[in-house]
Amino acid sequence: MQTLQLDKNKARSLYPSASAEFKTMLEDTFGKEFFSQKITDRVKTLNDACEVLGLNPSCVISSSDSKDEIAYKKLKVIIRALNEGWTPDWSNSNEYKYYPWFKMQGGFVLYYVDYNFAATDVGSRLCFKNEDLALYAVKQFSDLYKDYFTI
């Protein structure tokens, strides 16, 4: 008999399209609640995002990076994890891409979350697949956004 070894991330990616029998096996192994966790419950830190993506957190930044570069690189990883494989399709003018806008005058606060179809005013790697994820990221990672946008 062969033994199958499956890490958590691979199990999560296989689960949605698995047969009923395989889903039951996965649930018996990892627990049913494991597969019902929302991404916002699983990604609270950069380390969490790296775990979701199978990355080593120490490889994300280098010692020569400036404060804003560090923040950008961390945000890229976090947003990639939160988007769960979704990437903006800039050739699709019907696909919404969400991003936060900040008010910088008199402090640093979220102004609103906007969306666009085929253009962006922010780095395309910092877009979200939905408004809820954009709002979550701003709330959870506000210090990173502040480091990225301010001097």
Side-chain angles (χ1 to χ4, degrees):
M1 180 163 106
Q2 297 272 341
T3 301
L4 175 65
Q5 292 186 354
L6 207 56
D7 70 23
K8 295 187 302 185
N9 294 325
K10 188 65 176 174
R12 249 195 200 98
S13 71
L14 291 172
Y15 186 81
S17 60
S19 67
E21 182 181 11
F22 190 44
K23 279 186 180 183
T24 301
M25 288 172 40
L26 289 170
E27 290 169 356
D28 289 345
T29 304
F30 294 95
K32 194 169 190 166
E33 56 283 338
F34 174 80
F35 295 101
S36 63
Q37 283 183 313
K38 293 174 22 178
I39 192 67
T40 53
D41 293 332
R42 296 180 7 235
V43 177
K44 303 284 187 192
T45 66
L46 172 66
N47 287 345
D48 295 341
C50 287
E51 182 179 341
V52 165
L53 298 172
L55 300 174
N56 180 341
S58 65
C59 295
V60 174
I61 57 173
S62 72
S63 58
S64 63
D65 290 336
S66 64
K67 189 175 181 178
D68 64 308
E69 289 172 320
I70 291 168
Y72 174 67
K73 288 178 177 182
K74 288 179 177 182
L75 284 169
K76 276 185 9 180
V77 169
I78 290 164
I79 292 168
R80 190 171 138 216
L82 289 173
N83 280 326
E84 299 181 281
W86 175 87
T87 55
D89 178 359
W90 296 105
S91 66
N92 181 354
S93 61
N94 293 316
E95 178 186 78
Y96 286 19
K97 295 119 179 120
Y98 295 85
Y99 49 91
W101 279 91
F102 296 92
K103 185 176 182 181
M104 311 275 277
Q105 188 177 15
F108 183 81
V109 295
L110 176 67
Y111 191 55
Y112 63 93
V113 170
D114 200 1
Y115 63 88
N116 208 323
F117 299 105
T120 183
D121 297 325
V122 298
S124 62
R125 289 173 183 84
L126 300 182
C127 292
F128 295 88
K129 65 181 176 180
N130 63 52
E131 183 177 14
D132 291 340
L133 288 176
L135 289 169
Y136 170 78
V138 168
K139 180 181 174 189
Q140 186 69 24
F141 302 102
S142 60
D143 289 343
L144 285 178
Y145 276 104
K146 187 174 182 179
D147 288 349
Y148 174 60
F149 284 113
T150 60
I151 298 174

